[in-house]
Amino acid sequence: MTSHQTFTDPSAGAWLRIDFLPGVELMPLAQPVPDGSIHRARLRAGTTIPVHAHPADEFVLVLSGTIETAGRRCEAGTFWTTPAGTRQGPHVAVTEVELLTVRLGAMGPFGDDG
């Protein structure tokens, strides 16, 4: 943590493509705890993130668009929490969607073993 405020303007951040998740881009914003992450995520319409788990608590806010997860349709403004080790997903982008995600630790393995 710095000793002063920092800002990231929407047009200033760098979007990173995730090779193993086509249609997903992340913009890292901060690291709240070691190996943790606060980031924006963009998913193209029709993108699916398969069922997975993280070894850390995760908090997600839908900023725009519509996504289905855990059998529920989530519109802009929906907030969900997922405790560490809980299997989640699949996450299916019904429309183009943008999320704000806070993960309080490592991402961990991803895929069928996650």
Side-chain angles (χ1 to χ4, degrees):
M1 183 76 72
T2 65
S3 61
H4 61 279
Q5 285 183 303
T6 60
F7 300 87
T8 302
D9 293 319
S11 62
W15 289 97
L16 309 173
R17 291 192 195 318
I18 308 301
D19 292 337
F20 63 94
L21 293 172
V24 177
E25 296 178 311
L26 299 180
M27 180 189 291
L29 297 172
Q31 186 176 26
V33 297
D35 296 323
S37 173
I38 299 175
H39 60 268
R40 291 167 59 189
R42 283 194 305 211
L43 285 71
R44 283 193 315 252
T47 298
T48 298
I49 297 176
V51 173
H52 62 283
H54 299 292
D57 294 338
E58 187 173 63
F59 306 86
V60 178
L61 175 65
V62 180
L63 297 174
S64 65
T66 303
I67 189 166
E68 290 180 353
T69 189
R72 180 185 168 136
R73 184 173 278 233
C74 300
E75 308 283 346
T78 302
F79 177 76
W80 75 77
T81 63
T82 306
T86 301
R87 293 182 64 75
Q88 58 177 301
H91 307 311
V92 180
V94 176
T95 66
E96 184 172 300
V97 66
E98 186 170 336
L99 309 170
L100 178 67
T101 301
V102 176
R103 194 173 61 276
L104 297 179
M107 181 179 288
F110 205 91
D112 292 337
D113 296 332

